[in-house]
Amino acid sequence: MTTSESIVTGIGVGRGLVVGAVRRMPDPLPEPAQTKSDRGVDDEHLRATSALSETAADLRARGVQSGGLAKDILDALALMAEDTMLLADVKNHIEQGSTAERAVFEAFAAFASIMKAAGGYTAERAGDLGDVANRVIARIMRVAAPGVPQSTTPFILVARDLAPADTALLDFDIVRALVTIDGGPTSHTAILAREKGLPAIVGATDAALLIDGETVIVDASSGEIVRHPSTARIDEALLESESRLAARAGATGPGLLADGHEVALLANVGSLKSAFAAVEAHAEGVGLFRTEFLFLENDVAPSIEAQKAEYTAVFEKFPGQKVVVRVLDAGADKPLSFLTDDGEENPALGRRGIRALFAHEQILRDQLTAIAHATASTTADVWVMAPMISTVEETEKFVDICREVGIHKAGVMVEVPSSALLADHILEVADFVSIGTNDLTQYTFAADRLLGTVANLQDAWSPAVLRLIREVGLAGERTNKPVGICGEAAADPVLAVVLIGLGVTSLSMSPTALADVRAEISRFTLVEARQLAERALSARNAKDARAMASFAFTH
Ligand code: PEP
Ligand code: MG
């Protein structure tokens, strides 16, 4: 009997199309029983401490093997396994009669709740603790740690969610696509997939039904996983996959629509390393330089000289090209201890971004001075913008300070609905705007962009978000000033065309997304992009908007 085709949907990351066999990640270990130990305190303590230090060493070794961003993540996890407060708590539980595995479980759970209570980025990282705890417990119990299945043949990895320790060592010749049941477009899995250019579908609740070994088609551009595909459907998918890869490989020039209309394709960077990646991916410049990433570890504000050195190094990679620098966007998910207020109950709605900078105006002035000095020492065309602007008055204040320190192009980010609705007034003051769709979506739906449970709302395809973007596009056309996009929405090739149709003049994205976007936008004229935008705007929800625009793409 043949089973008929069915579709499982989630949120796609990237543009890739892959046919392959499913391999599922084993389920997590069960919670260790609360039984009293019969081994004695010293023995249990030795079991726990050896497993903790072996796990830390293993995480570090994995970090060395994988390098890059993964190394930083794994080193941070290793530190968690060696935390002195945690070790003291483990000891305490053992002294009260717990087994080593139960003591580790309890101590990590307590540690995780402290991190969750801290909110923001720290709270997000609390999930990683569960993974470290599982590794330690598996070691104590001498069972295999739950992790990525080993295989010598390519497969599609299906998991509830992927922890950094799982993804750090993925072999991308073997793992062809990632599917997660939980997680959203800003989850660790999505970030990794984007960084590696690997097709992924996240938040696909029904992927829990997928069975080990079954063949599926994963189409990241539509967010669909096709189960039980017919042979004809598989052949069609393989052809389509090849044509997407060929289009990607052939795309290297500046961003051009089919009618020659120019849309600059820029890169989002946060470090010198990502600036190199942007150059390699033929970015036409930088549309978002996230300066706060350079200073996340700092306890005190960096000096003008130190900042000048960091900025100059990045600017030098883009001689004669545009580099849009964003001043420190501290708070919420990216706290900077020298700028962020402690203890706000809702940090995403608190004094983040420009609000924190106005509260510490000298830090803002120093940063702008450092940017102005770095600009003077290179040939990059440097523009500067402020995050989280929500009023015209904030825009005026920011632009005035920029002018005072000698910044020539001063703009603002549109990340909250108020500034989208006021874009005409804002553009009378600012030289340009850049729309941060990650935050604009979060604030349109009042849904924390980092929270898996509301990830379904974090979708920039939503007509609510698109209508706000249209307001900004119209304001840009009326004032004849540039309107960029620098949120993740720009990295979705179909959505990129819609955004151009809404009046956007440049798109900035992770360097790995540039080739796909460049290839896709070249297939449409401006008139067609506007038609696609109209269709998407009229939809009832994100799913319909995506489907209506994608339909036009393939017909
Ligand atoms: C955004 O919010 O879309 C954006 C580009 O800024 P960040 O992701 O750094 O908040
Ligand atoms: Mg933002």
Side-chain angles (χ1 to χ4, degrees):
M1 194 186 78
T2 54
T3 319
S4 58
E5 186 178 296
S6 63
I7 309 264
V8 170
T9 51
I11 300 163
V13 179
R15 181 95 187 103
L17 181 65
V18 166
V19 179
V22 164
R23 293 295 303 270
R24 295 198 55 136
M25 281 256 292
D27 285 335
L29 291 174
E31 183 180 316
Q34 259 172 319
T35 46
K36 287 272 173 211
S37 162
D38 48 18
R39 290 174 187 262
V41 170
D42 289 345
D43 189 10
E44 291 291 10
H45 192 234
L46 183 65
R47 289 172 80 219
T49 49
S50 338
L52 282 159
S53 57
E54 281 164 24
T55 304
D58 174 54
L59 290 166
R60 284 211 176 84
R62 284 164 178 261
V64 170
Q65 201 178 330
S66 46
L69 183 63
K71 179 172 185 311
D72 298 344
I73 294 171
L74 291 171
D75 284 348
L77 294 183
L79 282 178
M80 288 178 176
E82 288 168 334
D83 183 88
T84 44
M85 262 170 57
L86 178 111
L87 293 178
D89 203 20
V90 168
K91 188 160 180 244
N92 193 17
H93 281 288
I94 290 175
E95 282 168 356
Q96 285 168 25
S98 277
T99 59
E101 50 269 44
R102 184 72 202 180
V104 165
F105 174 83
E106 295 281 358
F108 270 93
F111 195 178
S113 50
I114 294 171
M115 285 178 73
K116 276 193 194 125
Y121 181 79
T122 311
E124 268 301 301
R125 298 276 68 84
D128 299 342
L129 273 182
D131 175 64
V132 181
N134 271 333
R135 284 169 194 277
V136 179
I137 293 167
R139 238 170 231 282
I140 296 172
M141 298 173 71
R142 299 190 189 285
V143 296
V148 176
Q150 300 298 313
S151 169
T152 47
T153 49
F155 64 91
I156 291 166
L157 180 62
V158 179
R160 180 149 289 283
D161 205 353
L162 289 167
D166 299 320
T167 53
L169 283 188
L170 286 184
D171 177 345
F172 297 106
D173 290 330
I174 298 287
V175 177
R176 307 283 316 285
L178 303 174
V179 172
T180 64
I181 296 158
D182 294 338
T186 52
S187 63
H188 174 73
T189 308
I191 293 168
L192 175 102
R194 235 172 258 123
E195 186 188 295
K196 301 287 181 194
L198 189 70
I201 298 184
V202 297
T205 317
D206 288 343
L209 304 171
L210 297 176
I211 297 166
D212 232 16
E214 74 170 281
T215 297
V216 292
I217 301 172
V218 172
D219 186 348
S221 68
S222 62
E224 289 181 347
I225 302 146
V226 184
R227 299 188 71 191
H228 316 299
S230 64
T231 320
R233 176 87 172 210
I234 290 179
D235 290 346
E236 202 182 292
L238 290 172
L239 275 178
E240 170 65 17
S241 168
E242 269 175 34
S243 91
R244 285 189 200 177
L245 287 173
R248 195 173 202 272
T252 53
L256 286 181
L257 300 194
D259 55 5
H261 179 81
E262 292 175 12
V263 179
L265 297 181
L266 308 164
N268 291 352
V269 306
S271 62
L272 188 56
K273 194 168 158 226
S274 55
F276 278 112
V279 173
E280 262 176 35
H282 306 275
E284 293 172 61
V286 173
L288 169 62
F289 177 8
R290 289 182 163 108
T291 55
E292 62 281 356
F293 284 176
L294 297 171
F295 307 113
L296 286 177
E297 306 295 325
N298 285 41
D299 293 332
V300 290
S303 67
I304 295 180
E305 277 314 304
Q307 292 189 64
K308 181 187 165 193
E310 298 276 3
Y311 305 149
T312 307
V314 170
F315 296 173
E316 278 173 347
K317 297 279 153 301
F318 302 94
Q321 288 182 312
K322 178 159 118 181
V323 178
V324 184
V325 187
R326 173 173 74 187
V327 292
L328 298 169
D329 183 19
D333 54 327
K334 295 167 291 198
L336 291 176
S337 56
F338 56 91
L339 255 185
T340 308
D341 288 348
D342 280 340
E344 285 183 338
E345 277 207 16
N346 295 304
L349 301 181
R351 225 156 53 167
R352 63 165 288 204
I354 197 65
R355 302 171 185 178
L357 287 170
F358 283 156
H360 298 87
E361 202 176 305
Q362 197 52 48
I363 295 182
L364 172 62
R365 286 180 178 273
D366 286 353
Q367 182 175 24
L368 292 172
T369 306
I371 296 169
H373 289 177
T375 305
S377 65
T378 73
T379 63
D381 176 19
V382 177
W383 300 17
V384 181
M385 65 184 182
M388 269 298 275
I389 289 282
S390 44
T391 66
V392 180
E393 290 69 26
E394 285 172 349
T395 310
E396 283 167 341
K397 181 167 173 178
F398 178 71
V399 172
D400 285 348
I401 301 177
C402 283
R403 302 274 188 255
E404 275 176 44
V405 303
I407 302 277
H408 300 298
K409 277 271 193 188
V412 301
M413 289 185 76
V414 173
E415 304 194 275
V416 294
S418 62
S419 56
L421 296 168
L422 292 169
D424 48 353
H425 294 300
I426 285 180
L427 273 171
E428 277 161 18
V429 181
D431 296 323
F432 68 97
V433 293
S434 182
I435 306 173
T437 48
N438 309 335
D439 277 317
L440 186 59
T441 311
Q442 136 162 292
Y443 293 121
T444 300
F445 284 98
D448 186 339
R449 65 192 253 191
L450 297 174
L451 202 60
T453 47
V454 290
N456 59 322
L457 294 169
Q458 187 66 32
D459 193 339
W461 271 103
S462 157
V465 178
L466 298 181
R467 287 178 191 204
L468 288 168
I469 297 176
R470 179 181 56 176
E471 288 301 313
V472 189
L474 288 174
E477 279 163 19
R478 278 199 294 268
T479 52
N480 200 21
K481 289 193 176 166
V483 173
I485 295 268
C486 61
E488 287 302 325
D492 173 335
V494 186
L495 186 49
V497 179
V498 168
L499 295 171
I500 294 168
L502 293 173
V504 160
T505 55
S506 67
L507 297 163
S508 188
M509 63 203 80
S510 5
T512 45
L514 281 162
D516 281 342
V517 171
R518 191 183 284 119
E520 290 302 329
I521 66 169
S522 69
R523 297 174 47 206
F524 295 84
T525 63
L526 186 57
V527 171
E528 287 166 341
R530 287 189 177 137
Q531 284 164 353
L532 278 188
E534 282 309 316
R535 281 171 192 252
L537 281 171
S538 68
R540 279 164 58 94
N541 54 35
K543 188 164 172 262
D544 289 356
R546 187 185 267 116
M548 284 155 88
S550 305
F551 179 80
F553 248 63
T554 45
H555 291 80

